[in-house]
């Protein structure tokens, strides 16, 4: 009856005031972000149906650069090859035995690439062997037809 209704209204009022005054941090995202993600995913999936042709060929690079901030000329060269119209993935294999915070490094380098106007993606992984790490980077970079078709490595003289 009416006692249950009053108790329900009081509980809802207390919950409303608690949420209103506490103002919890919540990021629900926007519907436009969700729509952009879905559209990008469908576009990448649609690329699998596109046949290879001379007119739609693009060099898609995997640049084994290590930390890109230390190999800027190599990254600039890869950026020139792709003409900022194709895929550029920088690969960084960390061979230290001490675990690193790769997610923070990934975010910092991606921000640096955006600031220096290099259109590409940064991929970092940790492995005891550089060769095994480079093979894993080659195998895991890309998605469908957006997989690298060229490898660029720098040589120190």
């Amino acid at each position: 009856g009416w006692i249950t209704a009053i108790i329900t209204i009081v509980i809802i009022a207390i919950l409303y005031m608690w949420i209103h005054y506490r103002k919890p941090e919540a990021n629900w995202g926007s519907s436009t972000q969700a729509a952009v993600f879905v559209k990008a995913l469908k576009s990448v999936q649609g690329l699998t149906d596109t046949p290879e042709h001379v007119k739609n060929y693009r060099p898609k690079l995997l640049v084994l650069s290590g930390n890109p901030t230390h190999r800027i000329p190599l990254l600039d060269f890869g950026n020139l090859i792709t003409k900022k119209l194709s895929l550029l993935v920088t690969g960084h294999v960390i061979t230290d035995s001490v675990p690193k915070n790769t997610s923070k490094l990934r975010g910092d380098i991606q921000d640096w690439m955006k600031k220096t106007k290099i259109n590409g993606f940064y991929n970092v992984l940790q492995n005891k062997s550089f060769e095994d790490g480079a093979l894993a980077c080659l195998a895991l970079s890309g998605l469908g037809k957006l997989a690298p078709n060229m490898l660029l490595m720098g040589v120190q003289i």
Side-chain angles (χ1 to χ4, degrees), residues 13-25:
I14 290 171
L15 284 173
Y16 174 78
M17 286 189 229
W18 181 68
I19 291 172
H20 180 71
Y21 289 113
R22 187 160 177 249
K23 293 183 182 177
E25 190 68 35

Side-chain angles (χ1 to χ4, degrees), residues 37-120:
F37 178 80
V38 169
K39 185 176 180 180
L41 186 61
K42 287 185 179 187
S43 295
V44 170
Q45 289 171 340
L47 280 175
T48 58
D49 299 333
T50 306
E52 294 289 334
H53 194 273
V54 174
K55 293 178 186 174
N56 61 18
Y57 173 80
R58 298 281 186 272
K60 296 172 280 221
L61 289 180
L62 171 61
V63 182
L64 290 179
S65 63
N67 189 335
T69 60
H70 300 150
R71 305 291 297 275
I72 297 171
L74 183 63
L75 221 56
D76 284 339
F77 181 60
N79 205 22
L80 286 172
I81 291 173
T82 61
K83 297 182 181 179
K84 297 185 179 184
L85 295 174
S86 188
L87 179 69
L88 176 69
V89 179
T90 60
H92 182 186
V93 179
I94 299 174
T95 57
D96 292 343
S97 58
V98 178
K100 301 282 185 189
N101 186 358
T102 57
S103 60
K104 181 182 182 325
L105 182 63
R106 186 176 290 117
D108 292 345
I109 298 293
Q110 197 67 47
D111 290 342
W112 175 83
M113 288 175 69
K114 191 181 298 181
K115 187 176 75 176
T116 56
K117 297 182 178 153
I118 295 174
N119 295 339

